[in-house]
Each structure stands twice: as C-alpha cells, then as structure tokens.
Amino acid sequence: MKKRWLATAACVALAATSILAGCNSGSGNSNSGGGASSGGSGKTVELEILISDDTLEGGAMAAVVAKFNEEFKDKGIQAKMNEIAYADMQTQIQNRAAVNQLPAIVKLSNFDNYVDYVLPLDDSNLKQEDFLRDGTRNGKFMATSVNNTAVGMIINKTAFDNAGVSYPLKEEDRWTWEEFEAAVKEVVEKNDNVNTGLVIDHSQQRINTILYSFGMQIFDPADNTRLAFRSDDTKRGLEFILNMYKDGGISKASVGVGTENAQDVFKTGTVAAHFAGNWVMNDYAENIKDFEWCPVLMPYETEVATCLGGNWLYAMDGTGVEKEAIQFLEWFYQPENYTLYCSTGNYLPGTLGINPEYTVEGLDIFNMEINASITQPQDDTAVSNLHSGEDWGNAVRDAMDRAIAGEMDADGIMDYVIKEQLSALSGVHE
C-alpha cells in the first residue's frame, strides 16, 4: 500500500484588539519581549510567551513554564505566560510589531502573515528534520510544530457493537472506503436510534483528506508550479463523496448546507461515525455519557492519508531577548520537557520519538495514522513554502457545498477550484 504524509495549513481567526490588550506591563524597557529586573548578583530576563487556550487545554504550557522557571531561577531567565483570546492573537502581534512591543515567544496556528517578524532558528540546535510539519520559509527554518492535529474517524462504538459490525484498530484491518460505507449502512439498519451513517465537519481539510486517500494532489510533485487538482483520482474521490450524500450516508446538515454542527450531532448518539479531528476527543470524553465511542483507523482507497494541522511555537525578532528565547525553545524540546507538555495537554507530538501518556483513551490511534502516512514526502509543501501569505481560501469546501445542493458536479468542482487557485497563487499554471 503506497503511503503519504499530507499536511494542510490551519486557518487563523481574526478580530480587532487594542494595541496592547493583554500585554504584560512594567517590563523595564521599550520592548515587552523581555524585562530586566535586579535580582541577586545580576539581572533576570523575563520572556513573555503569548498564547491562547492553554487553560482550556489542561494548562500544558503553564506546567512546562513552571518547570522551566524552577530550573532557571538562578540562571537569570524566567518565562511568563500572557494568555489572551485566540481571535485576538494575530491582530495583537501585528499591532505590537508596529510599535516594537513584540512578545519573546508565540504559540499560534499561523505565522505566515507576519513571517518577517519571526526569528530564524537556523543557528539554534533545533533542526527542521526533527519536526513533522515544515516550518521553513524562504529557505530558513522559522517555526517549530509544537502540537499537531490530525484528521481521523471516530465511531459510535455502542452502535457498532450492537450491530455486530467490526471496526479497524490494527493496520491489517483498515477499511477501504467502500467497506466503510457498507459498515455504516449496516450500523444504521440495525440500530433504531441511529439514523445517519456519517457526519463530516464543515471543513476543507476533511474533504481534502478523503481526496488525498483517492490519490488527489494539489501540485505536481515533479513541477511545483503545475496545479494537479484536476485529475481522474480527484474526480473519483469527489464522486464518491457526492454519492454518499445522495444516498443519505452523510448528513447534509453537517457540512454547512444545514444548520447543525457535526460534533454536536455525533454527541446525540444518532450517528454511526464522525470524520473529525483529534481535538474533539476532550469534549467527547467529558460530555458523552449515553454511549461508548472510540477512534478507529480511517478508510483508504489508494493511499493512507491524514491532514496535519496544529500550532507553531516560535521566537520573535527584534525583542532584545532573542538569545534567551532560543534557549527556552531548545530546553522546551528536550524529551523530558516536551513529553510533559504533550502528556499534560493530550497533544499529538510535533516531533518523532515522543511517547506521551494520555488521559484520553484512543488518542494513540491518531499517532498511528500519522506514522502510517509519513513514509512519503509531503506532496503539497508548495502551498506553504512557495506561496506563503497567498490564500486560495476554501474553494474545495465551497464548491462541494454547491455540488451537494445540486448546482454542479465533480467536473464543476474541479473547474471552480482550479480557477480560484490560478487567481490566488502566483507563478502557477495548470
């Protein structure tokens, strides 16, 4: 079975914020990246880490920062988290850059929109080849993949067990998409309270993952200026998805044609499977009480594929504390410290060789998906590396919505996507 690692960029929400909203004060110099204060025989550099959602995700960074501060309390460096709303992150960074008030370190799902402010890591002991997602831009190693997200399949285990339908937890048992479709149909037929085979998040990343498993590529691997979305493989994948909607196998409401949210619908127990991301696991572990659920290995057609997303951790340039920021990053990725971070937050590691102890059962399935897909080069790194800051939007998702509504077919989807790509990406051709 040919296997491939495929990654897509996560989207960043934007919202207005005041120029110093949530910033630490009293830093002692004009740049809030680090403050110097007298202490003992010298000065202590304070590293501001700008972050969001750490409280909601178990306080993983807070736990690591506490460990760092204990170890470095006599070495002149201390870290301090500045946790703000996710929607305010990018705007705050851009506004603070304008007045030389950048934080020392940032954790965020995006850095392309302000890559000129990011400190290259080429002179550190961190190396791009140790990370699962590519943080190089313009030939420079810029950002580390601090925690990954992966797309996967979560099933209503109770419904599958009641129907006597098996599900794959080992590679040799992995479904084809045809076998998966037959399985969820049988589960619906044999459970009175289950009326839908599959719900899918309203996400281009989820749709692309299915298409990748059929062999779709965005760029020609032999020519990263040639758009390759239009192909027989892509068309077969699109037609499979559309036929599942026509047959009622996928809820139309789950992809934006209706008003329901796929995650909320799955929690009702009326759905056989949810094609989702690993980030739903904490919610399901806490809030699903009426039935058992579990992640399983995803179906494939010609490829085993998952789409990676997640957050980056990087230092900012021009803060005056660049040396100390890199020292924090180098310490952070030492196996003991990084394992603590991933275990506390129930995160999929951004590097190989880390084995977290998860409190949410089943997360290891997502790591299995990543490992099964990583033996081939990334086919679509041109999206990030060659087209940093260029955005062709959610053309696949938007066209799929229209196709589900009967406005176009698979060929129409490919026409629309190629048109959007040609318009948004520089130097490309079909």
Side-chain angles (χ1 to χ4, degrees), residues 258-278:
T259 59
E260 295 173 316
N261 175 279
Q263 191 169 330
D264 292 337
V265 173
F266 183 79
K267 288 189 288 187
T268 66
T270 61
V271 179
H274 179 195
F275 192 41
N278 66 283

Side-chain angles (χ1 to χ4, degrees), residues 6 9 14 21 82 85 119 138 177 185 286 300 308 322 356 365 378 409:
L6 300 157
L14 295 177
N82 179 10
L119 179 70
N138 302 316
W177 277 108
K185 283 183 177 179
E286 181 177 350
Y300 77 101
L308 296 182
E322 293 91 342
I365 287 286
Q378 300 175 63
D409 57 11

Side-chain angles (χ1 to χ4, degrees), residues 99-112:
V99 292
N100 195 32
Q101 291 284 342
L102 283 169
I105 296 170
V106 174
K107 177 197 169 192
L108 188 59
S109 62
N110 175 277
F111 67 95
D112 287 298

Side-chain angles (χ1 to χ4, degrees), residues 341-372:
Y341 173 79
C342 294
S343 297
T344 305
N346 286 315
Y347 291 135
L348 304 183
T351 71
L352 293 173
I354 300 297
N355 298 299
E357 294 183 4
Y358 294 125
T359 59
V360 176
E361 187 176 354
L363 270 172
D364 285 332
I365 287 286
F366 288 90
N367 282 326
M368 288 174 63
E369 294 286 23
I370 293 172
N371 292 333

Side-chain angles (χ1 to χ4, degrees), residues 242-301:
L242 290 173
N243 285 336
M244 276 203 76
Y245 280 109
K246 291 177 183 177
D247 295 341
I250 308 177
S251 167
K252 290 185 177 181
S254 72
V255 293
V257 181
T259 59
E260 295 173 316
N261 175 279
Q263 191 169 330
D264 292 337
V265 173
F266 183 79
K267 288 189 288 187
T268 66
T270 61
V271 179
H274 179 195
F275 192 41
N278 66 283
W279 53 88
V280 306
M281 298 277 285
N282 286 333
D283 175 32
Y284 287 176
E286 181 177 350
N287 295 310
I288 293 180
K289 308 297 183 184
D290 299 329
F291 64 94
E292 290 186 285
W293 56 274
C294 70
V296 298
L297 293 176
M298 286 188 297
Y300 77 101
E301 187 66 18

